Amino acid sequence: FEGYNDADATKRKILRDEFENGDLWFRTGELLSKVELGYVYFVDRIGDTFRWKGENVSTNEVAEFVARAPGISTANVYGVSVPGTDGRAGMAAITTKGEVDFDGLYGWLSEHLPKYAIPLFIRVQKEAETTGTFKYRKVELVKEGFDPATVNEPLWYFDPDTQKYEPLTPDAHETILSGAVKF
């Protein structure tokens, strides 16, 4: 574990003296099972995470940094399926406070998050939808995905060619679905 750009975020992932004095553990968000012969097997992911290109992404940790970006008020992060890719790509439903610099947003996020954790899609909402217990609603957002024909709010996607977020048009959506965009 190399750590994050943010030293405090790295410290929160390291556990010390959990089972015996002097032990050191890395909190991955995965549930493992150790069998009689000493082998360790993956069982499931715990918490609110998704997997993208072989990495586990904590939606809450990513949302924390996205919400700190200039012009963003709240961020609700989740994973969406993109045909032909490994896992689920990150998507953030945001609310704004003023103008968001979409040209510079990816650069700002890359200073604070590992590349695999940076959302590839952004949905701009007028108001964040919450449950009765004030948790962000995600099920509906995941189901709607990043299809501009389904979503009636502004959508943006990270374009690897321009290295910035671009408006997600129906043509860009088709290009992504065809596999021509390599995230």
Side-chain angles (χ1 to χ4, degrees):
F1 174 63
E2 294 178 11
Y4 300 117
N5 293 338
D6 181 291
D8 289 333
T10 300
K11 285 180 186 174
R12 287 193 301 270
K13 287 293 184 180
I14 304 296
L15 306 173
R16 298 176 188 276
D17 304 320
E18 290 294 312
F19 298 101
E20 59 187 51
N21 283 339
D23 68 359
L24 182 68
W25 298 84
F26 167 59
R27 184 189 346 238
T28 65
E30 295 176 331
L31 181 61
L32 304 173
S33 174
K34 186 174 179 181
V35 296
E36 202 171 302
L37 296 174
Y39 294 107
V40 178
Y41 293 93
F42 170 82
V43 176
D44 199 1
R45 282 179 291 285
I46 55 177
D48 198 0
T49 63
F50 61 89
R51 197 155 176 84
W52 175 243
K53 294 194 174 188
E55 299 284 352
N56 290 328
V57 180
S58 168
T59 60
N60 292 334
E61 287 182 27
V62 173
E64 180 182 321
F65 285 102
V66 173
R68 290 182 189 170
I72 296 178
S73 180
T74 67
N76 182 7
V77 174
Y78 48 97
V80 293
S81 294
V82 178
T85 61
D86 178 20
R88 293 181 173 268
M91 185 163 181
I94 65 169
T95 60
T96 62
K97 55 181 177 193
E99 293 294 317
V100 176
D101 174 18
F102 284 101
D103 286 348
L105 181 59
Y106 187 85
W108 189 91
L109 290 172
S110 67
E111 292 175 14
H112 302 281
L113 293 167
K115 185 175 181 178
Y116 65 83
I118 300 171
L120 298 179
F121 301 97
I122 306 282
R123 176 179 180 162
V124 182
Q125 298 181 300
K126 289 183 181 174
E127 188 174 308
E129 295 184 30
T130 58
T131 67
T133 57
F134 304 106
K135 292 182 181 177
Y136 289 125
R137 291 191 175 275
K138 292 187 184 194
V139 174
E140 297 87 356
L141 296 173
V142 170
K143 187 176 180 181
E144 292 173 354
F146 58 96
D147 184 353
T150 304
V151 177
N152 293 323
E153 295 170 316
L155 294 170
W156 297 77
Y157 77 103
F158 173 69
D159 184 336
D161 293 334
T162 64
Q163 291 291 299
K164 63 182 182 177
Y165 289 103
E166 301 284 354
L168 183 57
T169 64
D171 286 342
H173 182 255
E174 287 302 316
T175 302
I176 292 167
L177 293 182
S178 75
V181 177
K182 302 295 180 203
F183 293 114

mmCIF file with all atom_site columns, all heavy atoms in Angstrom, residues 52-68:
data_model
loop_
_atom_site.group_PDB
_atom_site.id
_atom_site.type_symbol
_atom_site.label_atom_id
_atom_site.label_alt_id
_atom_site.label_comp_id
_atom_site.label_asym_id
_atom_site.label_entity_id
_atom_site.label_seq_id
_atom_site.pdbx_PDB_ins_code
_atom_site.Cartn_x
_atom_site.Cartn_y
_atom_site.Cartn_z
_atom_site.occupancy
_atom_site.B_iso_or_equiv
_atom_site.pdbx_formal_charge
_atom_site.auth_seq_id
_atom_site.auth_comp_id
_atom_site.auth_asym_id
_atom_site.auth_atom_id
_atom_site.pdbx_PDB_model_num
ATOM 1   N N   . TRP A 1 52 ? -13.253 -1.132 -9.778  1.00 0.00 ? 52 TRP A N   1
ATOM 2   C CA  . TRP A 1 52 ? -12.952 -0.565 -11.085 1.00 0.00 ? 52 TRP A CA  1
ATOM 3   C C   . TRP A 1 52 ? -11.514 -0.926 -11.446 1.00 0.00 ? 52 TRP A C   1
ATOM 4   O O   . TRP A 1 52 ? -10.585 -0.593 -10.705 1.00 0.00 ? 52 TRP A O   1
ATOM 5   C CB  . TRP A 1 52 ? -13.142 0.949  -11.076 1.00 0.00 ? 52 TRP A CB  1
ATOM 6   C CG  . TRP A 1 52 ? -12.739 1.648  -12.336 1.00 0.00 ? 52 TRP A CG  1
ATOM 7   C CD1 . TRP A 1 52 ? -11.746 2.575  -12.466 1.00 0.00 ? 52 TRP A CD1 1
ATOM 8   C CD2 . TRP A 1 52 ? -13.303 1.507  -13.639 1.00 0.00 ? 52 TRP A CD2 1
ATOM 9   N NE1 . TRP A 1 52 ? -11.662 3.019  -13.753 1.00 0.00 ? 52 TRP A NE1 1
ATOM 10  C CE2 . TRP A 1 52 ? -12.616 2.371  -14.507 1.00 0.00 ? 52 TRP A CE2 1
ATOM 11  C CE3 . TRP A 1 52 ? -14.333 0.726  -14.165 1.00 0.00 ? 52 TRP A CE3 1
ATOM 12  C CZ2 . TRP A 1 52 ? -12.911 2.480  -15.857 1.00 0.00 ? 52 TRP A CZ2 1
ATOM 13  C CZ3 . TRP A 1 52 ? -14.629 0.834  -15.509 1.00 0.00 ? 52 TRP A CZ3 1
ATOM 14  C CH2 . TRP A 1 52 ? -13.928 1.708  -16.336 1.00 0.00 ? 52 TRP A CH2 1
ATOM 15  N N   . LYS A 1 53 ? -11.352 -1.625 -12.554 1.00 0.00 ? 53 LYS A N   1
ATOM 16  C CA  . LYS A 1 53 ? -10.037 -2.025 -13.062 1.00 0.00 ? 53 LYS A CA  1
ATOM 17  C C   . LYS A 1 53 ? -9.182  -2.702 -11.990 1.00 0.00 ? 53 LYS A C   1
ATOM 18  O O   . LYS A 1 53 ? -8.009  -2.384 -11.815 1.00 0.00 ? 53 LYS A O   1
ATOM 19  C CB  . LYS A 1 53 ? -9.312  -0.834 -13.670 1.00 0.00 ? 53 LYS A CB  1
ATOM 20  C CG  . LYS A 1 53 ? -10.011 -0.312 -14.910 1.00 0.00 ? 53 LYS A CG  1
ATOM 21  C CD  . LYS A 1 53 ? -9.143  0.620  -15.692 1.00 0.00 ? 53 LYS A CD  1
ATOM 22  C CE  . LYS A 1 53 ? -9.865  0.988  -16.989 1.00 0.00 ? 53 LYS A CE  1
ATOM 23  N NZ  . LYS A 1 53 ? -9.022  1.729  -17.881 1.00 0.00 ? 53 LYS A NZ  1
ATOM 24  N N   . GLY A 1 54 ? -9.807  -3.620 -11.257 1.00 0.00 ? 54 GLY A N   1
ATOM 25  C CA  . GLY A 1 54 ? -9.078  -4.393 -10.260 1.00 0.00 ? 54 GLY A CA  1
ATOM 26  C C   . GLY A 1 54 ? -8.866  -3.697 -8.934  1.00 0.00 ? 54 GLY A C   1
ATOM 27  O O   . GLY A 1 54 ? -8.222  -4.245 -8.046  1.00 0.00 ? 54 GLY A O   1
ATOM 28  N N   . GLU A 1 55 ? -9.403  -2.504 -8.750  1.00 0.00 ? 55 GLU A N   1
ATOM 29  C CA  . GLU A 1 55 ? -9.233  -1.749 -7.503  1.00 0.00 ? 55 GLU A CA  1
ATOM 30  C C   . GLU A 1 55 ? -10.586 -1.539 -6.829  1.00 0.00 ? 55 GLU A C   1
ATOM 31  O O   . GLU A 1 55 ? -11.589 -1.328 -7.496  1.00 0.00 ? 55 GLU A O   1
ATOM 32  C CB  . GLU A 1 55 ? -8.614  -0.373 -7.789  1.00 0.00 ? 55 GLU A CB  1
ATOM 33  C CG  . GLU A 1 55 ? -7.250  -0.417 -8.425  1.00 0.00 ? 55 GLU A CG  1
ATOM 34  C CD  . GLU A 1 55 ? -6.148  -0.776 -7.446  1.00 0.00 ? 55 GLU A CD  1
ATOM 35  O OE1 . GLU A 1 55 ? -6.404  -0.856 -6.228  1.00 0.00 ? 55 GLU A OE1 1
ATOM 36  O OE2 . GLU A 1 55 ? -5.012  -0.970 -7.907  1.00 0.00 ? 55 GLU A OE2 1
ATOM 37  N N   . ASN A 1 56 ? -10.591 -1.593 -5.523  1.00 0.00 ? 56 ASN A N   1
ATOM 38  C CA  . ASN A 1 56 ? -11.798 -1.268 -4.758  1.00 0.00 ? 56 ASN A CA  1
ATOM 39  C C   . ASN A 1 56 ? -11.848 0.235  -4.541  1.00 0.00 ? 56 ASN A C   1
ATOM 40  O O   . ASN A 1 56 ? -10.853 0.842  -4.152  1.00 0.00 ? 56 ASN A O   1
ATOM 41  C CB  . ASN A 1 56 ? -11.800 -1.979 -3.409  1.00 0.00 ? 56 ASN A CB  1
ATOM 42  C CG  . ASN A 1 56 ? -12.006 -3.455 -3.566  1.00 0.00 ? 56 ASN A CG  1
ATOM 43  O OD1 . ASN A 1 56 ? -12.686 -3.907 -4.477  1.00 0.00 ? 56 ASN A OD1 1
ATOM 44  N ND2 . ASN A 1 56 ? -11.403 -4.227 -2.694  1.00 0.00 ? 56 ASN A ND2 1
ATOM 45  N N   . VAL A 1 57 ? -13.015 0.808  -4.791  1.00 0.00 ? 57 VAL A N   1
ATOM 46  C CA  . VAL A 1 57 ? -13.201 2.244  -4.647  1.00 0.00 ? 57 VAL A CA  1
ATOM 47  C C   . VAL A 1 57 ? -14.251 2.490  -3.566  1.00 0.00 ? 57 VAL A C   1
ATOM 48  O O   . VAL A 1 57 ? -15.366 1.986  -3.661  1.00 0.00 ? 57 VAL A O   1
ATOM 49  C CB  . VAL A 1 57 ? -13.651 2.882  -5.983  1.00 0.00 ? 57 VAL A CB  1
ATOM 50  C CG1 . VAL A 1 57 ? -13.836 4.383  -5.823  1.00 0.00 ? 57 VAL A CG1 1
ATOM 51  C CG2 . VAL A 1 57 ? -12.650 2.577  -7.087  1.00 0.00 ? 57 VAL A CG2 1
ATOM 52  N N   . SER A 1 58 ? -13.882 3.248  -2.552  1.00 0.00 ? 58 SER A N   1
ATOM 53  C CA  . SER A 1 58 ? -14.807 3.617  -1.483  1.00 0.00 ? 58 SER A CA  1
ATOM 54  C C   . SER A 1 58 ? -15.594 4.849  -1.915  1.00 0.00 ? 58 SER A C   1
ATOM 55  O O   . SER A 1 58 ? -15.018 5.934  -2.085  1.00 0.00 ? 58 SER A O   1
ATOM 56  C CB  . SER A 1 58 ? -14.035 3.910  -0.198  1.00 0.00 ? 58 SER A CB  1
ATOM 57  O OG  . SER A 1 58 ? -14.889 4.534  0.740   1.00 0.00 ? 58 SER A OG  1
ATOM 58  N N   . THR A 1 59 ? -16.894 4.679  -2.073  1.00 0.00 ? 59 THR A N   1
ATOM 59  C CA  . THR A 1 59 ? -17.707 5.798  -2.549  1.00 0.00 ? 59 THR A CA  1
ATOM 60  C C   . THR A 1 59 ? -17.679 6.968  -1.572  1.00 0.00 ? 59 THR A C   1
ATOM 61  O O   . THR A 1 59 ? -17.646 8.123  -1.994  1.00 0.00 ? 59 THR A O   1
ATOM 62  C CB  . THR A 1 59 ? -19.162 5.356  -2.791  1.00 0.00 ? 59 THR A CB  1
ATOM 63  O OG1 . THR A 1 59 ? -19.714 4.874  -1.565  1.00 0.00 ? 59 THR A OG1 1
ATOM 64  C CG2 . THR A 1 59 ? -19.235 4.284  -3.852  1.00 0.00 ? 59 THR A CG2 1
ATOM 65  N N   . ASN A 1 60 ? -17.664 6.681  -0.287  1.00 0.00 ? 60 ASN A N   1
ATOM 66  C CA  . ASN A 1 60 ? -17.669 7.767  0.700   1.00 0.00 ? 60 ASN A CA  1
ATOM 67  C C   . ASN A 1 60 ? -16.365 8.560  0.678   1.00 0.00 ? 60 ASN A C   1
ATOM 68  O O   . ASN A 1 60 ? -16.376 9.784  0.789   1.00 0.00 ? 60 ASN A O   1
ATOM 69  C CB  . ASN A 1 60 ? -17.933 7.222  2.100   1.00 0.00 ? 60 ASN A CB  1
ATOM 70  C CG  . ASN A 1 60 ? -19.340 6.683  2.239   1.00 0.00 ? 60 ASN A CG  1
ATOM 71  O OD1 . ASN A 1 60 ? -20.244 7.109  1.529   1.00 0.00 ? 60 ASN A OD1 1
ATOM 72  N ND2 . ASN A 1 60 ? -19.520 5.741  3.138   1.00 0.00 ? 60 ASN A ND2 1
ATOM 73  N N   . GLU A 1 61 ? -15.234 7.873  0.551   1.00 0.00 ? 61 GLU A N   1
ATOM 74  C CA  . GLU A 1 61 ? -13.952 8.582  0.505   1.00 0.00 ? 61 GLU A CA  1
ATOM 75  C C   . GLU A 1 61 ? -13.849 9.452  -0.742  1.00 0.00 ? 61 GLU A C   1
ATOM 76  O O   . GLU A 1 61 ? -13.384 10.595 -0.679  1.00 0.00 ? 61 GLU A O   1
ATOM 77  C CB  . GLU A 1 61 ? -12.798 7.589  0.538   1.00 0.00 ? 61 GLU A CB  1
ATOM 78  C CG  . GLU A 1 61 ? -12.596 6.959  1.890   1.00 0.00 ? 61 GLU A CG  1
ATOM 79  C CD  . GLU A 1 61 ? -11.414 5.998  1.907   1.00 0.00 ? 61 GLU A CD  1
ATOM 80  O OE1 . GLU A 1 61 ? -10.479 6.178  1.105   1.00 0.00 ? 61 GLU A OE1 1
ATOM 81  O OE2 . GLU A 1 61 ? -11.435 5.081  2.743   1.00 0.00 ? 61 GLU A OE2 1
ATOM 82  N N   . VAL A 1 62 ? -14.281 8.918  -1.882  1.00 0.00 ? 62 VAL A N   1
ATOM 83  C CA  . VAL A 1 62 ? -14.219 9.697  -3.123  1.00 0.00 ? 62 VAL A CA  1
ATOM 84  C C   . VAL A 1 62 ? -15.169 10.883 -3.037  1.00 0.00 ? 62 VAL A C   1
ATOM 85  O O   . VAL A 1 62 ? -14.810 12.012 -3.395  1.00 0.00 ? 62 VAL A O   1
ATOM 86  C CB  . VAL A 1 62 ? -14.533 8.803  -4.343  1.00 0.00 ? 62 VAL A CB  1
ATOM 87  C CG1 . VAL A 1 62 ? -14.627 9.643  -5.615  1.00 0.00 ? 62 VAL A CG1 1
ATOM 88  C CG2 . VAL A 1 62 ? -13.476 7.715  -4.488  1.00 0.00 ? 62 VAL A CG2 1
ATOM 89  N N   . ALA A 1 63 ? -16.383 10.649 -2.526  1.00 0.00 ? 63 ALA A N   1
ATOM 90  C CA  . ALA A 1 63 ? -17.362 11.735 -2.416  1.00 0.00 ? 63 ALA A CA  1
ATOM 91  C C   . ALA A 1 63 ? -16.840 12.867 -1.538  1.00 0.00 ? 63 ALA A C   1
ATOM 92  O O   . ALA A 1 63 ? -17.081 14.047 -1.821  1.00 0.00 ? 63 ALA A O   1
ATOM 93  C CB  . ALA A 1 63 ? -18.675 11.198 -1.860  1.00 0.00 ? 63 ALA A CB  1
ATOM 94  N N   . GLU A 1 64 ? -16.101 12.510 -0.495  1.00 0.00 ? 64 GLU A N   1
ATOM 95  C CA  . GLU A 1 64 ? -15.536 13.518 0.402   1.00 0.00 ? 64 GLU A CA  1
ATOM 96  C C   . GLU A 1 64 ? -14.635 14.489 -0.368  1.00 0.00 ? 64 GLU A C   1
ATOM 97  O O   . GLU A 1 64 ? -14.701 15.702 -0.185  1.00 0.00 ? 64 GLU A O   1
ATOM 98  C CB  . GLU A 1 64 ? -14.749 12.812 1.504   1.00 0.00 ? 64 GLU A CB  1
ATOM 99  C CG  . GLU A 1 64 ? -14.115 13.722 2.514   1.00 0.00 ? 64 GLU A CG  1
ATOM 100 C CD  . GLU A 1 64 ? -13.310 12.949 3.560   1.00 0.00 ? 64 GLU A CD  1
ATOM 101 O OE1 . GLU A 1 64 ? -13.758 11.866 3.980   1.00 0.00 ? 64 GLU A OE1 1
ATOM 102 O OE2 . GLU A 1 64 ? -12.238 13.448 3.928   1.00 0.00 ? 64 GLU A OE2 1
ATOM 103 N N   . PHE A 1 65 ? -13.794 13.957 -1.252  1.00 0.00 ? 65 PHE A N   1
ATOM 104 C CA  . PHE A 1 65 ? -12.882 14.825 -2.011  1.00 0.00 ? 65 PHE A CA  1
ATOM 105 C C   . PHE A 1 65 ? -13.590 15.554 -3.146  1.00 0.00 ? 65 PHE A C   1
ATOM 106 O O   . PHE A 1 65 ? -13.294 16.712 -3.420  1.00 0.00 ? 65 PHE A O   1
ATOM 107 C CB  . PHE A 1 65 ? -11.685 14.024 -2.534  1.00 0.00 ? 65 PHE A CB  1
ATOM 108 C CG  . PHE A 1 65 ? -10.695 13.712 -1.456  1.00 0.00 ? 65 PHE A CG  1
ATOM 109 C CD1 . PHE A 1 65 ? -10.660 12.454 -0.881  1.00 0.00 ? 65 PHE A CD1 1
ATOM 110 C CD2 . PHE A 1 65 ? -9.828  14.674 -0.984  1.00 0.00 ? 65 PHE A CD2 1
ATOM 111 C CE1 . PHE A 1 65 ? -9.768  12.159 0.134   1.00 0.00 ? 65 PHE A CE1 1
ATOM 112 C CE2 . PHE A 1 65 ? -8.929  14.401 0.031   1.00 0.00 ? 65 PHE A CE2 1
ATOM 113 C CZ  . PHE A 1 65 ? -8.897  13.135 0.597   1.00 0.00 ? 65 PHE A CZ  1
ATOM 114 N N   . VAL A 1 66 ? -14.531 14.882 -3.807  1.00 0.00 ? 66 VAL A N   1
ATOM 115 C CA  . VAL A 1 66 ? -15.271 15.548 -4.887  1.00 0.00 ? 66 VAL A CA  1
ATOM 116 C C   . VAL A 1 66 ? -16.021 16.749 -4.322  1.00 0.00 ? 66 VAL A C   1
ATOM 117 O O   . VAL A 1 66 ? -16.038 17.826 -4.929  1.00 0.00 ? 66 VAL A O   1
ATOM 118 C CB  . VAL A 1 66 ? -16.228 14.567 -5.593  1.00 0.00 ? 66 VAL A CB  1
ATOM 119 C CG1 . VAL A 1 66 ? -17.117 15.295 -6.601  1.00 0.00 ? 66 VAL A CG1 1
ATOM 120 C CG2 . VAL A 1 66 ? -15.445 13.454 -6.299  1.00 0.00 ? 66 VAL A CG2 1
ATOM 121 N N   . ALA A 1 67 ? -16.626 16.590 -3.145  1.00 0.00 ? 67 ALA A N   1
ATOM 122 C CA  . ALA A 1 67 ? -17.393 17.687 -2.541  1.00 0.00 ? 67 ALA A CA  1
ATOM 123 C C   . ALA A 1 67 ? -16.510 18.862 -2.110  1.00 0.00 ? 67 ALA A C   1
ATOM 124 O O   . ALA A 1 67 ? -17.008 19.954 -1.885  1.00 0.00 ? 67 ALA A O   1
ATOM 125 C CB  . ALA A 1 67 ? -18.194 17.172 -1.350  1.00 0.00 ? 67 ALA A CB  1
ATOM 126 N N   . ARG A 1 68 ? -15.202 18.643 -2.012  1.00 0.00 ? 68 ARG A N   1
ATOM 127 C CA  . ARG A 1 68 ? -14.272 19.729 -1.668  1.00 0.00 ? 68 ARG A CA  1
ATOM 128 C C   . ARG A 1 68 ? -13.817 20.519 -2.897  1.00 0.00 ? 68 ARG A C   1
ATOM 129 O O   . ARG A 1 68 ? -13.193 21.563 -2.756  1.00 0.00 ? 68 ARG A O   1
ATOM 130 C CB  . ARG A 1 68 ? -13.028 19.160 -0.991  1.00 0.00 ? 68 ARG A CB  1
ATOM 131 C CG  . ARG A 1 68 ? -13.266 18.617 0.379   1.00 0.00 ? 68 ARG A CG  1
ATOM 132 C CD  . ARG A 1 68 ? -11.960 18.136 0.967   1.00 0.00 ? 68 ARG A CD  1
ATOM 133 N NE  . ARG A 1 68 ? -12.158 17.402 2.198   1.00 0.00 ? 68 ARG A NE  1
ATOM 134 C CZ  . ARG A 1 68 ? -11.218 16.714 2.800   1.00 0.00 ? 68 ARG A CZ  1
ATOM 135 N NH1 . ARG A 1 68 ? -10.002 16.675 2.304   1.00 0.00 ? 68 ARG A NH1 1
ATOM 136 N NH2 . ARG A 1 68 ? -11.473 16.063 3.905   1.00 0.00 ? 68 ARG A NH2 1
#
